[in-house]
Amino acid sequence: MSPSQESVFPEYEADTSQTSKLIRKFKETPFVPIGMAGFAAVVGYGLYKLKHRGNMKMSLHLIHMRVAAQGFAVGALTCGVLYSLFRDYVGKPKE
């Protein structure tokens, strides 16, 4: 690309650092980091409770934690999709 030509995507070339790209993505889709944090929290809680599970079998405990973590992640993504639909169709002023 020659220097005299304008860039096709100037907003993507302006952000060069990974941190600024990550912050921009989090602003565009706020429920994805919430889902990731919730997933990590459920996994951390599951690891903590693994030691104090009593007489529950290990496989049953792991299945419960997997279902809880997946449920939190899917719930956050569903909320994100609903938020995007609301923002695009309901919150958008009619032309």
Side-chain angles (χ1 to χ4, degrees), residues 62-72:
L62 293 177
I63 288 171
H64 287 171
M65 290 299 109
R66 179 185 63 91
V67 168
Q70 282 179 336
F72 195 93

Side-chain angles (χ1 to χ4, degrees), residues 18-91:
Q18 292 292 332
T19 308
S20 61
K21 288 180 184 178
L22 189 64
I23 290 171
R24 182 177 44 101
K25 282 292 188 184
F26 284 171
K27 287 180 182 176
E28 290 174 3
T29 55
F31 285 96
V32 172
I34 292 171
M36 291 168 53
F39 180 83
V42 169
V43 168
Y45 177 75
L47 289 174
Y48 172 75
K49 293 300 278 184
L50 186 65
K51 188 174 181 180
H52 308 290
R53 68 181 187 274
N55 60 354
M56 182 186 295
K57 288 185 178 181
M58 171 80 84
S59 62
L60 186 62
H61 176 75
L62 293 177
I63 288 171
H64 287 171
M65 290 299 109
R66 179 185 63 91
V67 168
Q70 282 179 336
F72 195 93
V74 168
L77 289 174
T78 303
C79 289
V81 167
L82 293 174
Y83 172 74
S84 294
L85 287 173
F86 177 78
R87 185 180 62 196
D88 290 344
Y89 294 109
V90 177

